[in-house]
Amino acid sequence: MESLHYFLGFLLLAARTQLDAAKRFHDVLGNERPPPYTREHNQLNGWSSDENDWNEKLYPVWKRGDMRWKNAWKGGHVQAVLTSDSPALVGSNITFVVNLVFPRCQKEDADGNIVYEKNCRNETGLSADPYVYNWTAWSEDSDWENGTGQSRHNIFPDGKPFPHHPGWRRWNFVYVFHTLGQYFQKLGGCSVRVFMNTANVTLGPQLMEVFVYRRHRLDYVPIAQVKDVYVVTDQIPVFVTMSQKNDRNSSDETFLKDLPISFDVLIHDPSHFLNYSTINYKWSFGDNTGLFVSMNNTVNHTYVLNGTFSLNLTVKAAAPGPCPPPPPRPPKPTPSLATTLKSYDSNTPGPAGDNPLELSKIPDENCQVNRYGHFHATITIVEGILEVSIIKMTDILMWVPRPDNSLIDFVVTCQGSLPTEVCTVISDPTCEVAQNTVCDAVDVDETCLLTVRRAFSGSGTYCVNLTLADDTSLALTSTLISVPGGDPASPLRMANSALISVGCLAIFVTVISLLVYKKHKEYKPIENSPGNVVRSKGLSVFLNRAKAVFFRGNQEKDPLLKNQEFKGVS
């Protein structure tokens, strides 16, 4: 009997020694954190405790600074990028995404192999081998297909077999997620996505760590580690965007008086946890207009006074949540012996609650709990340009026509504060492709009436966006205009040319008339001297020549012939 005790003790000691020698998940994954952190947790749905054993032979563990990391990946180092859609409302799902960033010129192909990109030069130049890792060839050379290989090598670090989903053989990376003392294993390619329910997650910031292994024939090699903080909260994550027409910068929380401000509420709920919840929005705009309650996530409000105002929003939603525990039952009074005997004799039911069928009811697990979200902002209301209008457009006639240019004056008026700058954007008829932008400083009086002159190159239809601005506001108006033809044959250009030609001809005729008049005034009466006769003939010849130049149509070609015709008729 004593020998039996020694034998059992030896077996227990050997088992304990083997148990102590086995690598635990928390030893591999949580060795950089104090032990109490990993022990305070609730069970996560679908996750396993990090008290389980880790297969260190198949999945080696390398500490930080181990020289083997340098050869973990051919051609450089792999970086793992971990992101999440945190913050998450407690009870909802949070999504974690890991993307692997390979060294330059490397990528994953459709078969899951890592190949070099074509025509991409890395530090060593172009590679003759298109493959960085040809896992397809490795699987053909190994015992991948037989049952032995699958049971011995196609397993996770805790010994569980790989799930045989369609295309699972193209997944050559093993990801181990670790948080709150629990882990989740996943087989995938260069990018994986993991969902985690937060119903049992402690509120506040938490840490997620991910360890990535790659296939190395029948073993696995660590290639990357990454960690990131995520947040679980019982407050609805609420964001509000504020926008207003004519507001120059909505991000400075300064808006204009007498124009409605649009408040758009965005609830961060990527897992659609609140899709079937009734949500109410209670607004206080801080301008003594009272509370405004709405079921719409968008509301407009107009401030009619200048100043600084405190904006507050409270969002309320009836969200799925844990059912409250049943209220404690009051202790039953201890009946006397006489009462007990009497109840047995009359065969009557005992005190209320003694019936086994009335002891308890199964609680309804589909309970709801009110969740709240809050938003606060301080906004400033100032004067601004409320409206701008184009009241007149005029085509400017130029003295010297320019076939490639046209000038148009825009008469503009505005309401509200006075602008300090005017900008004009000339675009195509769709108002999408800008062709010319001009901005000028302006000094406008209280009537806010100004004329803006702009040039247009060529004929056609243009979209004109005209903007008046000051330090806080920016008012815009648009119009379509049709610029007349810029070629010399266009009606407008022909009219200008005709006016210029007629003017030049009138000036020329006036000058010639003055010269003729001057010569005529210098003529003297004819005297009976040969010299005067010569002068008279010279003036006559001059006048006849001038007449021949300006009145060619009235000159007779052959007066003698005409006289002969007259004689023939008579």
Side-chain angles (χ1 to χ4, degrees):
M1 187 68 179
E2 186 176 357
S3 60
L4 179 61
H5 288 168
Y6 280 114
F7 180 71
L8 293 176
F10 176 78
L11 292 179
L12 291 176
L13 181 61
R16 179 60 181 271
T17 303
Q18 184 179 3
L19 189 63
D20 291 339
K23 208 75 171 181
R24 306 283 186 173
F25 268 80
H26 61 77
D27 296 330
V28 175
L29 307 179
N31 53 4
E32 297 182 1
R33 272 188 279 152
Y37 183 90
T38 60
R39 304 278 71 82
E40 299 175 0
H41 61 82
N42 295 318
Q43 182 64 39
L44 300 176
N45 185 24
W47 291 55
S48 304
S49 172
D50 61 7
E51 294 286 348
N52 294 341
D53 293 340
W54 175 282
N55 187 345
E56 190 176 4
K57 183 178 180 181
L58 192 60
Y59 291 87
V61 179
W62 299 342
K63 294 183 179 180
R64 190 183 302 273
D66 194 311
M67 296 300 296
R68 289 175 291 184
W69 283 105
K70 294 183 178 180
N71 299 321
W73 190 267
K74 186 188 303 183
H77 296 282
V78 175
Q79 181 183 3
V81 179
L82 171 63
T83 58
S84 71
D85 54 8
S86 167
L89 184 62
V90 61
S92 67
N93 289 335
I94 186 170
T95 303
F96 298 93
V97 178
V98 180
N99 292 301
L100 299 182
V101 180
F102 301 118
R104 176 175 169 78
C105 298
Q106 297 182 12
K107 67 175 183 179
E108 184 182 48
D109 67 3
D111 294 327
N113 297 311
I114 307 301
V115 298
Y116 289 107
E117 297 182 7
K118 294 182 178 180
N119 302 324
C120 179
R121 290 183 175 271
N122 57 13
E123 296 178 355
T124 60
L126 294 174
S127 175
D129 185 2
Y131 289 97
V132 183
Y133 292 105
N134 189 354
W135 284 306
T136 303
W138 289 4
S139 63
E140 293 174 355
D141 296 339
S142 65
D143 55 355
W144 180 283
E145 297 297 336
N146 58 40
T148 305
Q150 291 183 13
S151 61
R152 291 176 53 191
H153 303 287
N154 298 330
I155 59 175
F156 287 112
D158 62 357
K160 293 180 181 177
F162 290 161
H164 291 182
H165 298 303
W168 70 278
R169 290 185 177 87
R170 294 196 298 268
W171 298 340
N172 296 284
F173 297 97
V174 176
Y175 298 81
V176 182
F177 292 77
H178 184 233
T179 186
L180 300 174
Q182 298 166 69
Y183 68 90
F184 184 85
Q185 308 166 128
K186 189 175 181 64
L187 182 68
C190 63
S191 178
V192 295
R193 187 183 303 265
V194 169
F195 305 94
M196 185 183 75
N197 188 267
T198 62
N200 295 326
V201 176
T202 306
L203 299 181
Q206 307 294 346
L207 185 66
M208 175 66 74
E209 297 176 288
V210 182
F211 298 79
V212 187
Y213 283 77
R214 70 166 174 85
R215 182 183 297 280
H216 180 68
R217 297 192 182 274
L218 300 180
D219 297 324
Y220 297 90
V221 176
I223 59 171
Q225 299 178 6
V226 65
K227 59 181 67 176
D228 191 28
V229 175
Y230 64 97
V231 177
V232 177
T233 176
D234 60 352
Q235 298 288 313
I236 301 175
V238 176
F239 305 90
V240 177
T241 60
M242 296 174 280
S243 60
Q244 184 187 41
K245 177 185 176 182
N246 296 357
D247 181 37
R248 189 162 190 170
N249 183 9
S250 60
S251 62
D252 61 359
E253 297 185 344
T254 299
F255 299 94
L256 311 179
K257 187 186 74 171
D258 296 330
L259 283 179
I261 305 173
S262 177
F263 301 92
D264 190 10
V265 183
L266 173 64
I267 293 179
H268 182 68
D269 184 27
S271 66
H272 309 293
F273 180 65
L274 299 176
N275 267 14
Y276 300 100
S277 302
T278 301
I279 302 178
N280 294 318
Y281 305 87
K282 183 169 66 175
W283 295 89
S284 174
F285 297 102
D287 58 350
N288 297 324
T289 55
L291 295 177
F292 179 73
V293 181
S294 172
M295 297 184 68
N296 195 336
N297 66 325
T298 301
V299 66
N300 293 331
H301 184 74
T302 302
Y303 288 89
V304 296
L305 297 175
N306 294 342
T308 301
F309 302 91
S310 179
L311 172 70
N312 289 282
L313 168 67
T314 300
V315 179
K316 176 183 176 182
C323 296
R329 296 178 59 186
K332 294 187 301 182
T334 303
S336 62
L337 179 61
T339 304
T340 303
L341 293 175
K342 184 177 180 182
S343 64
Y344 276 112
D345 292 339
S346 59
N347 197 17
T348 59
D354 287 349
N355 190 338
L357 299 178
E358 300 178 0
L359 289 179
S360 63
K361 294 183 179 179
I362 299 176
D364 185 6
E365 296 298 333
N366 297 323
C367 296
Q368 289 186 327
V369 59
N370 289 333
R371 300 292 185 191
Y372 296 89
H374 303 277
F375 175 81
H376 172 77
T378 300
I379 62 177
T380 303
I381 304 300
V382 297
E383 298 283 349
I385 305 173
L386 304 182
E387 187 177 353
V388 58
S389 302
I390 300 174
I391 61 176
K392 187 178 180 181
M393 293 182 293
T394 305
D395 187 8
I396 305 302
L397 299 179
M398 295 175 287
W399 285 103
V400 178
R402 297 180 181 178
D404 59 342
N405 209 351
S406 297
L407 293 179
I408 295 181
D409 279 351
F410 299 88
V411 181
V412 183
T413 184
C414 67
Q415 298 179 7
S417 62
L418 299 180
T420 59
E421 183 184 43
V422 56
C423 290
T424 306
V425 180
I426 300 176
S427 310
D428 67 328
T430 64
C431 299
E432 295 179 356
V433 181
Q435 300 175 357
N436 186 25
T437 301
V438 179
C439 292
D440 298 310
V442 293
D443 186 10
V444 187
D445 59 16
E446 295 181 356
T447 60
C448 192
L449 186 67
L450 70 156
T451 300
V452 180
R453 176 169 294 181
R454 289 294 179 255
F456 295 84
S457 57
S459 62
T461 302
Y462 296 89
C463 173
V464 179
N465 291 330
L466 197 147
T467 303
L468 300 182
D470 58 11
D471 292 339
T472 58
S473 59
L474 186 148
L476 169 70
T477 185
S478 299
T479 185
L480 286 176
I481 66 170
S482 180
V483 177
D487 55 75
S490 64
L492 180 61
R493 306 305 176 195
M494 290 178 63
N496 289 339
S497 301
L499 289 176
I500 294 173
S501 301
V502 171
C504 293
L505 180 61
I507 293 173
F508 180 74
V509 171
T510 302
V511 171
I512 295 300
S513 300
L514 288 176
L515 291 175
V516 172
Y517 176 75
K518 184 177 180 181
K519 292 290 184 179
H520 180 69
K521 292 290 291 182
E522 293 178 352
Y523 173 70
K524 294 180 179 180
I526 302 175
E527 297 181 358
N528 296 326
S529 65
N532 289 336
V533 174
V534 172
R535 289 193 196 89
S536 176
K537 290 183 178 180
L539 178 60
S540 177
V541 171
F542 174 78
L543 291 177
N544 289 333
R545 290 180 177 177
K547 183 178 179 181
V549 171
F550 292 104
F551 303 98
R552 296 177 179 273
N554 296 329
Q555 296 297 316
E556 295 179 357
K557 295 183 179 179
D558 194 348
L560 296 178
L561 182 61
K562 188 173 182 180
N563 292 334
Q564 291 177 358
E565 291 178 353
F566 288 157
K567 292 178 182 180
V569 172
S570 61

